[in-house]
Amino acid sequence: LRQKGPSLGIDISHNRIRIVKVEPVPHKTRRLVDYASVPIPPDYSRGTQQFRGFLKDTLRKLCGPPGTISLWAMLPMADVEVHNISVPKVARKELHNVVLWSAKKEYPFDEEQTVFDFEIQGDVIESGIEKLGVLFYAAPKKDVDELKSLFTATGYPLTGVTVAPLALQNIFRTGWIPAHKRTVASLYIGRGWSRIDIFSEGNLVMTRGIKAGLNSMAESLIDEYAKWREQAAASKEQTKISGYQETVIEMAPAPEAVQLEQARELLQAL
């Protein structure tokens, strides 16, 4: 977000492309000037020429000619490692190697197959020793290359790649959502998994994936609905047997079953 001109942020999900456009303004960091949420046609697979053409047309509408705007794309978090560690204070020229070694020691990864980066978040005290607090990120090189190639093929090459927790961190740090000295939690619920991010004074201090999402919640809703129908039917039958009479409000009959997509839509509307 240090570019002097306008910037575009792009998130490609399974069924739509979400885009925001910001530009610098005097005395402020950035201003939101445009946004779009564009449904992806169901028959457009991501690796096809159709999808690339669709993405190019979408970008052209918000970007204008290529090369006039900075483009940042969101990388899916599924295989990206984002962690906080602490490292000894060393000379600047040694810092990268120390952080890389410490990160690989705690969270092993193949350096040749990984895009690695980090940032210093400040001083921390650990067992009475002053160290540097570090946030590092390690993404599969294959995923980064595929995302870059997709945009290069459209004629709109990427300026950079980020992930959702770091994009949220930028929002707090730039003051768009004032965090001050508060601790803030963000909960994302996806289709197959969810994620919780914790921020302290604008810094990302924890991010964790949860193996439960909209699909599992929808499946639970379907199971519980079936059980409710059985209990309701049994209760109604028991009332008939006992001869108990009660004034009730007439309601539309409940459907026999709830389909998975119906359950998803219900949850998304909450």
Side-chain angles (χ1 to χ4, degrees):
L1 294 178
R2 294 189 179 91
Q3 286 79 14
K4 295 181 179 181
S7 300
L8 206 73
I10 307 135
D11 177 24
I12 303 175
S13 69
H14 69 283
N15 63 351
R16 63 180 54 243
I17 300 174
R18 297 177 178 87
I19 301 175
V20 294
K21 184 178 182 180
V22 297
E23 66 179 13
V25 293
H27 311 299
K28 293 184 179 180
T29 304
R30 293 270 156 173
R31 177 180 66 183
L32 178 66
V33 293
D34 205 353
Y35 68 92
S37 180
V38 186
I40 300 173
D43 55 337
Y44 282 18
S45 299
R46 186 154 173 167
T48 63
Q49 185 62 41
Q50 277 183 319
F51 180 81
R52 288 192 290 271
F54 172 72
L55 176 60
K56 181 176 182 178
D57 290 342
T58 303
L59 293 173
R60 185 188 297 119
K61 292 175 182 177
L62 275 84
C63 297
T68 59
I69 192 169
S70 299
L71 298 180
W72 288 78
M74 194 88 76
L75 188 69
M77 272 290 292
D79 298 315
V80 180
E81 298 285 352
V82 180
H83 297 286
N84 296 84
I85 59 174
S86 58
V87 300
K89 287 192 169 184
V90 296
R92 176 178 288 273
K93 63 180 181 180
E94 301 174 1
L95 186 58
H96 183 275
N97 287 337
V98 169
V99 172
L100 178 60
W101 181 85
S102 300
K104 290 176 65 176
K105 181 181 178 182
E106 295 194 34
Y107 305 94
F109 57 86
D110 185 344
E111 187 177 348
E112 293 185 358
Q113 301 299 322
T114 304
V115 175
F116 176 82
D117 202 357
F118 68 92
E119 68 175 35
I120 303 299
Q121 293 194 325
D123 295 340
V124 297
I125 303 297
E126 191 174 278
S127 302
I129 301 173
E130 191 172 345
K131 294 186 175 183
L132 291 175
V134 175
L135 177 70
F136 82 84
Y137 4 98
K141 189 175 183 297
K142 176 177 176 291
D143 293 355
V144 175
D145 290 344
E146 286 180 357
L147 190 60
K148 290 169 61 179
S149 296
L150 172 62
F151 280 84
T152 299
T154 67
Y156 289 86
L158 289 175
T159 304
V161 173
T162 189
V163 289
L166 301 183
L168 290 173
Q169 180 175 256
N170 281 340
I171 291 176
F172 291 124
R173 286 183 173 178
T174 54
W176 277 26
I177 299 179
H180 305 299
K181 295 185 178 297
R182 295 181 300 167
T183 297
V184 180
S186 169
L187 175 63
Y188 164 78
I189 301 176
R191 288 171 67 89
W193 67 289
S194 303
R195 189 188 71 253
I196 184 168
D197 305 319
I198 307 294
F199 302 87
S200 178
E201 299 184 21
N203 287 332
L204 177 66
V205 295
M206 189 197 80
T207 179
R208 292 290 184 275
I210 305 167
K211 294 181 179 180
L214 202 60
N215 287 343
S216 58
M217 293 168 65
E219 290 166 0
S220 296
L221 179 60
I222 292 171
D223 292 341
E224 291 301 318
Y225 181 83
K227 293 176 184 178
W228 171 80
R229 280 196 60 87
E230 291 176 4
Q231 293 171 357
S235 177
K236 184 176 180 181
E237 187 64 29
Q238 183 63 35
T239 300
K240 288 181 180 178
I241 294 173
S242 64
Y244 178 70
Q245 298 295 320
E246 182 181 12
T247 301
V248 297
I249 299 174
E250 291 294 330
M251 299 180 66
E256 290 293 329
V258 176
Q259 302 301 316
L260 185 59
E261 194 57 40
Q262 291 175 308
R264 285 199 196 103
E265 291 176 358
L266 175 61
L267 291 168
Q268 289 173 331
L270 296 178

